[in-house]
Amino acid sequence: MHDIKAIRDNPTPFLRGWESRDVDDAAGSVQRILDLDETLRAAQTAVQTAQSRRNEASKLIGQAKAAKDEAKAAELMAQVEALKAEMAAAAETEARAGKDLRDLLAGLPNIPDAIVPAGADETHNAEQDRWGEPRRMNNARDHVDIGAGLGGMDFEAAARMSGSRFVVLKKGVARLERAIGQFMLDLQTGTNGYTEVSPPLLVKDDAMFGTGQLPKFEEDLFRTTADHWLIPTAEVSLTNLVREQITDEEELPLRLTALTHCFRSEAGSAGRDTRGMIRQHQFQKVEMVAITTPEQSAAEHDHMVASAQMVLEKLGLAYRTMLLCTGDMGFTAKKTFDLEVWLPSQNTFREISSISNCGDFQARRMDARSQKRGEKGTRFVHTLNGSGLAVGRTLVAVLENYQDEGGRVAIPDMLQPYMGGLTHLEPSA
């Protein structure tokens, strides 16, 4: 959500920001916002003025009746009735303009940070750095073939019960997925200062609106018959913990993490990644969320990126860090870094984490504020979120990068304690 006063005072940065994000008719949207704001404020003034005049007339009615001036009293009563009708009309205009303004603002994305490169799509993203040496293999098998060879990945059984974009994991592969999630969670809580949370997987409309999934991305979500939504990411549950709350600034930054299942309809990804586990309707992810003051958010963004990078480095997986351009960022983000892990079967890097600073964009939608102890004023917090990491995609990366020509998969050293000391997954007999 956006600060209407800031738009009113200086609309140019918003116009330029929305143009850089390819918003349809950005200039028209800005003008519509300003017109609705003017209409809204005029209607509010009209209601207040009519209310004041009605109150004054009501007092005079009593005085006229006390003086037994029935003609004056009748005249004043007629004025009161006319003012009631005037107030009702102005109130209706106020309500209509207010709703239209809120709906318009709710559908417009965040304004990019000045450092974000301009560009229409991922080809304009800017590489920041790389870590590790990509493993190159002449005959690298993909994770689907590796998983089948281990007897631990069954897409056909999943399709029979659930349809496409689901998988059944079994045996050592299922245990490896569990190990990866637990390792990530332990690292984020034990080393990087995050507090573990076990949040709801079902949320209401307001929670989805607060983090920006609604109303714009409804088709990408799963809705229940009881009017709940399955979370597409634990970002929704974790960020909404401060919804309509005032948090002491002395308690910030607040770092939260959760290992949950996530659910996405992938409505806009027809034909993309149809093979394997890269893009599924149900998957596990360790999510990181930070609630900060405005002054802390830039440094906290760096901390969150480093926390995600640490997972890949401890697993020995080569990756690169990308600063996303204006056209590739998510709706709520003002600045986003993607981590892309190396996949030998594709001979390329693929996204495994997206880490965003949303500024006060989500906080305004949720009315999440902070306050210094002993002071009266409040201000909106900043919110940040990122994957630390996507468990399924990390499983894919481990299987592919640690495969050997005989069909075995070595277990990274950091995961062996979670695997009961097991050092390899062996092919099925």
Side-chain angles (χ1 to χ4, degrees):
M1 209 69 164
H2 301 280
D3 182 358
I4 183 60
K5 184 178 184 302
I7 300 174
R8 182 192 311 138
D9 292 344
N10 186 12
T12 301
F14 293 88
L15 172 60
R16 291 175 178 168
W18 288 325
E19 284 178 338
S20 74
R21 302 202 67 171
D22 202 25
V23 170
D24 290 339
D25 191 16
S29 293
V30 170
Q31 188 58 54
R32 176 69 172 151
I33 289 169
L34 296 175
D35 290 344
L36 285 169
D37 178 54
E38 184 176 353
T39 300
L40 174 61
R41 289 189 294 139
Q44 290 170 337
T45 299
V47 169
Q48 293 167 1
T49 300
Q51 176 78 53
S52 177
R53 290 171 58 198
R54 190 190 71 170
N55 291 343
E56 181 63 27
S58 296
K59 291 179 183 178
L60 294 175
I61 289 171
Q63 295 174 9
K65 287 189 174 183
K68 300 189 182 303
D69 188 345
E70 295 300 331
K72 183 65 173 177
E75 179 185 344
L76 290 167
M77 290 173 66
Q79 289 181 20
V80 167
E81 290 302 314
L83 287 168
K84 284 181 180 179
E86 185 178 325
M87 286 173 57
E92 182 180 348
T93 299
E94 178 186 0
R96 183 171 59 252
K99 181 182 183 305
D100 290 346
L101 181 58
R102 288 191 298 273
D103 289 348
L104 178 54
L105 290 172
L108 291 166
N110 206 346
I111 301 301
D113 189 277
I115 198 174
V116 173
D121 54 40
E122 61 185 16
T123 60
H124 296 92
N125 295 341
E127 183 174 325
Q128 304 298 291
D129 56 58
R130 295 191 180 200
W131 184 92
E133 185 64 33
R135 186 180 181 191
R136 303 184 186 276
M137 306 171 64
N138 291 329
N139 297 298
R141 293 177 301 156
D142 71 7
H143 66 281
V144 178
D145 290 339
I146 296 169
L150 296 170
M153 197 174 288
D154 193 335
F155 290 94
E156 292 183 2
R160 288 196 299 271
M161 68 178 84
S162 302
S164 62
R165 296 190 186 271
F166 290 92
V167 65
V168 173
L169 301 182
K170 298 181 288 187
K171 300 180 180 180
V173 177
R175 185 174 186 179
L176 182 57
E177 180 193 45
R178 174 160 53 93
I180 289 170
Q182 293 301 316
F183 161 68
M184 291 176 180
L185 199 58
D186 286 349
L187 183 64
Q188 302 306 350
T189 57
T191 301
N192 294 324
Y194 290 85
T195 297
E196 182 177 355
V197 179
S198 179
L201 304 184
L202 291 167
V203 297
K204 297 180 179 179
D205 289 10
D206 286 347
M208 287 292 198
F209 177 84
T211 47
Q213 280 77 23
L214 290 179
K216 190 174 180 63
F217 302 103
E218 181 175 349
E219 68 173 7
D220 295 322
L221 306 171
F222 285 112
R223 188 172 195 168
T224 73
T225 55
D227 285 335
H228 283 81
W229 302 87
L230 287 165
I231 60 169
T233 164
E235 169 202 343
V236 178
S237 304
L238 295 178
T239 310
N240 272 278
L241 287 173
V242 295
R243 175 184 183 80
E244 298 175 352
Q245 302 296 306
I246 299 175
T247 306
D248 286 345
E249 290 198 1
E250 290 76 8
E251 297 177 4
L252 304 178
L254 182 63
R255 296 171 179 164
L256 307 169
T257 188
L259 169 60
T260 69
H261 281 90
C262 306
F263 306 88
R264 299 182 184 178
S265 73
E266 298 291 353
S269 62
R272 296 178 60 193
D273 299 314
T274 56
R275 176 176 167 84
M277 292 182 61
I278 296 295
R279 196 177 300 275
Q280 296 204 297
H281 291 312
Q282 174 186 313
F283 58 95
Q284 292 188 61
K285 182 157 66 79
V286 171
E287 184 70 4
M288 305 176 293
V289 160
I291 312 298
T292 78
T293 65
E295 295 81 10
Q296 296 166 332
S297 69
E300 193 63 23
H301 198 192
D302 292 339
H303 173 80
M304 189 173 283
V305 171
S307 297
Q309 290 171 333
M310 186 181 295
V311 178
L312 293 168
E313 291 171 15
K314 287 187 176 295
L315 293 177
L317 297 172
Y319 69 89
R320 66 179 182 178
T321 305
M322 307 293 291
L323 175 62
L324 300 195
C325 70
T326 54
D328 200 31
M329 284 198 307
F331 178 78
T332 63
K334 60 182 282 187
K335 181 182 178 183
T336 298
F337 291 103
D338 271 9
L339 304 186
E340 298 179 349
V341 69
W342 179 258
L343 294 185
S345 70
Q346 299 182 20
N347 201 39
T348 193
F349 292 96
R350 293 297 302 268
E351 180 204 335
I352 198 168
S353 176
S354 191
I355 305 151
S356 298
N357 186 342
C358 300
D360 64 3
F361 185 84
Q362 292 178 324
R364 288 181 179 277
R365 298 169 77 99
M366 298 186 300
D367 193 19
R369 300 171 180 265
S370 67
Q371 183 180 48
K372 290 184 179 180
R373 291 173 187 161
E375 296 187 5
K376 292 183 178 180
T378 64
R379 55 181 179 163
F380 291 107
V381 298
H382 280 200
T383 64
L384 303 92
N385 63 80
S387 303
L389 305 163
V391 176
R393 292 192 180 192
T394 306
L395 174 63
V396 168
V398 168
L399 291 175
E400 293 200 7
N401 282 279
Y402 282 87
Q403 65 178 300
D404 67 23
E405 293 181 357
R408 297 199 310 168
V409 174
I411 307 298
D413 293 344
M414 297 301 298
L415 298 180
Q416 290 178 17
Y418 297 88
M419 298 287 290
L422 195 67
T423 61
H424 290 80
L425 296 183
E426 303 288 345
S428 297

